[in-house]
Amino acid sequence: MKALVYQGPRDVAVREVPDARIERPTDVLVKVTSTNICGSDLHMYEGRTTMETGRVLGHENLGVVVEVGSGVDRIKTGDRVCLPFNIGCGFCANCERGLTGFCLSVDSDTPGGAYGFAAMGTYAGGQAEFLRVPWGDFNCLVLPEDAAEKENDYVMLADIFPTGYHATQLADVSPGESVVVYGGGPVGLMAAYSANLRGAAQVFVVDRHPDRLRLAEQAGAIAIDDSDGDHVERIKELTGGGADKGCECVGYQAHDPQGNETPESTMNDLVASVKATGAIGVVGVFLPQDDDGPTELAQQGKMPFDFGQFWFKGQRIATGQANVKAYNRYLGQLIHHGKAQPSFIVSHELPLDEAAEAYRKFDDRVAGWTKVILKP
C-alpha cells in the first residue's frame, strides 16, 4: 500500500510499504478516506522529536471498515468510522476512568499510545491507504448516515475538535465568561469555537497570521494580533481586568512576533492576561526533552515560568492531551444535527501523493494553508 513515511527532518515521502493487516483478533482494518495533517505532525516533521525513520505518519483518521478480527463483536465491515488519535484498550484503570489518552495497555514507554506518533508506541499512522485499528470495538466511532456528506466535519473528531474542546474543559469554561485562546492554529480555532459552543460571552484568539485571525473571527472570536501593540493590555482592557479563563494551544515551539522561539511566552502571557482566580487549560504539546530547544532549560523540557504571579493571583492550571473518547460521540452529535461545522478551517483537500509538498507548505506557514485533509 502507499503511505507517507518519515525519512528524517523535513523529509517525508509517499512510499510503498507492507499492507496494514489484522494482527490480533480484536483488530479492525480500515480503508482510509480522510486523514489530516496536524500541527503536532510538524514537531516530528521538523525533527524536534524522537520519531524513528521509516515510520508512517498520521493520527487524524477516518475511513471505511473492510475487515474485522474474529474477536470483534460490534464493528462491521462497511461501517464508516472515525478513529481517536489516542489508542485505548478500554479496560485498564485509566481507560475505565475515561482517561483513554493515558492507556496503560498500549505498547509505549509511557502511558498512552497514538497512530504514527513519536514516543507513543509503534503503531503505524493513517496517512496511508489502510490502517490497522487495535481494540477495534472500543476505538472505532461509528458515524451516522450523513457521514459521507459531512466527512470533512467528522474527520475533525479524530483530534482537533475534541482537543480544542478539551482545552475549554480543562479551563472549566462556563456560560457568560470571557476566554482568551493563545494560538490560532487548528486546535486554537477549535478551542475558540468550543468556547462559544459552551456559551462564553467573549472569546479572544491571540495570533499574528492574518489567515488564522480571519478564521478566528469566523469562529465568533475577537482576533488579537500580538505583533500589533501590547496584546495582554488589550485583553485586560476588553475584559475589564483579565479574561475569566485561558487556553494554551501552541506548545513548546511558541515564537515571539520577531520570530524568536520562546517556549514560555504563551504560558506567562496567560498568567498575565487571565484574571485572579481564573483557570488555564493547556493542550499545546510540551515535551520532557527537546535537544533542539533554544536554551539549556528548554532542552530539558523546562521553562522560566512566572510562578510568583501565578501563585499570587490564585490561578489554576490543568494540562494534558485530550481523551478523545470522552468527547467525540457528543461532538459528533453536534455535527449530525447541524449545531457544529468544524470543517470551516479546512483550506486544502489533496490526494495522498501530494502529502510531502503539503507538509512543506503547512510547515512554512504559507498564507492560506490553515488545515489540510489528505484523501488516500
Side-chain angles (χ1 to χ4, degrees):
M1 69 177 186
K2 289 183 177 180
L4 187 78
V5 175
Y6 175 74
Q7 302 183 139
R10 291 186 167 85
D11 183 8
V12 295
V14 176
R15 303 291 189 206
E16 286 289 335
V17 302
D19 288 348
R21 59 183 178 84
I22 299 291
E23 298 179 17
R24 300 175 64 184
T26 51
D27 288 349
V28 164
L29 188 64
V30 171
K31 179 180 180 180
V32 180
T33 56
S34 288
T35 176
N36 302 337
I37 299 177
C38 179
S40 297
D41 289 326
L42 298 184
H43 300 310
M44 294 176 285
Y45 176 73
E46 294 172 3
R48 295 291 293 272
T49 69
T50 57
M51 189 64 170
E52 307 92 340
T53 57
R55 292 280 305 277
V56 177
L57 293 169
H59 60 272
E60 298 187 14
N61 308 307
L62 180 152
V64 178
V65 175
V66 293
E67 187 180 352
V68 300
S70 60
V72 174
D73 177 65
R74 183 177 66 90
I75 303 302
K76 312 298 181 190
T77 58
D79 284 346
R80 193 170 292 266
V81 295
C82 187
L83 296 319
F85 79 89
N86 34 37
I87 299 165
C89 68
F91 52 78
C92 72
N94 283 346
C95 283
E96 285 180 348
R97 295 165 58 206
L99 304 176
T100 55
F102 303 88
C103 177
L104 301 172
S105 300
V106 292
D107 65 344
S108 175
D109 293 335
T110 58
Y115 303 101
F117 210 90
M120 295 192 72
T122 60
Y123 304 98
Q127 290 170 3
E129 292 180 296
F130 296 93
L131 177 67
R132 171 192 167 235
V133 180
W135 296 291
D137 273 332
F138 184 69
N139 287 302
C140 291
L141 175 67
V142 179
L143 299 172
E145 62 274 7
D146 59 354
E149 173 192 350
K150 297 181 177 180
E151 182 159 326
N152 286 2
D153 291 307
Y154 284 118
V155 71
M156 302 304 164
L157 296 175
D159 182 354
I160 63 166
F161 194 9
T163 295
Y165 192 89
H166 186 56
T168 65
Q169 180 74 7
L170 292 175
D172 192 26
V173 172
S174 298
E177 292 187 317
S178 55
V179 183
V180 57
V181 177
Y182 277 83
V187 168
L189 292 169
M190 288 295 97
Y193 194 59
S194 297
N196 278 317
L197 286 172
R198 293 172 73 112
Q202 289 178 294
V203 181
F204 307 91
V205 172
V206 181
D207 204 292
R208 67 192 65 113
H209 297 278
D211 52 354
R212 293 178 171 185
L213 294 172
R214 285 193 295 269
L215 286 173
E217 290 174 340
Q218 286 186 40
I222 298 167
I224 304 289
D225 184 346
D226 70 347
S227 67
D228 182 22
D230 189 330
H231 59 282
V232 171
E233 288 305 315
R234 178 69 174 149
I235 292 162
K236 289 181 176 179
E237 175 188 335
L238 292 170
T239 57
D244 294 300
K245 304 293 172 58
C247 298
E248 202 290 334
C249 300
V250 181
Y252 73 110
Q253 286 186 258
H255 287 69
D256 65 20
Q258 290 72 46
N260 303 305
E261 188 170 322
T262 52
E264 71 278 5
S265 60
T266 53
M267 293 298 298
N268 289 333
D269 281 352
L270 277 162
V271 170
S273 55
V274 171
K275 73 176 187 179
T277 73
I280 298 167
V282 182
V283 295
V285 174
F286 289 88
L287 298 181
Q289 179 180 341
D290 174 20
D291 292 341
D292 293 323
T295 66
E296 185 176 346
L297 270 181
Q299 291 164 17
Q300 300 173 38
K302 301 174 183 178
M303 68 172 72
F305 179 58
D306 194 356
F307 192 83
Q309 193 64 245
F310 171 71
W311 184 94
F312 197 77
K313 295 177 78 171
Q315 295 170 336
R316 59 193 189 276
I317 290 179
T319 70
Q321 64 170 287
N323 305 295
V324 171
K325 280 186 63 67
Y327 310 112
N328 64 352
R329 184 177 303 277
Y330 305 104
L331 296 178
Q333 286 298 304
L334 292 177
I335 293 171
H336 179 54
H337 292 287
K339 301 292 187 181
Q341 190 176 3
S343 64
F344 75 90
I345 69 170
V346 175
S347 59
H348 294 78
E349 296 178 48
L350 300 170
L352 184 64
D353 287 341
E354 296 182 27
E357 181 68 4
Y359 263 81
R360 185 187 68 78
K361 291 183 175 178
F362 191 39
D363 185 54
D364 288 344
R365 308 297 192 272
V366 174
W369 286 71
T370 53
K371 187 65 175 178
V372 180
I373 303 180
L374 301 173
K375 301 285 187 176

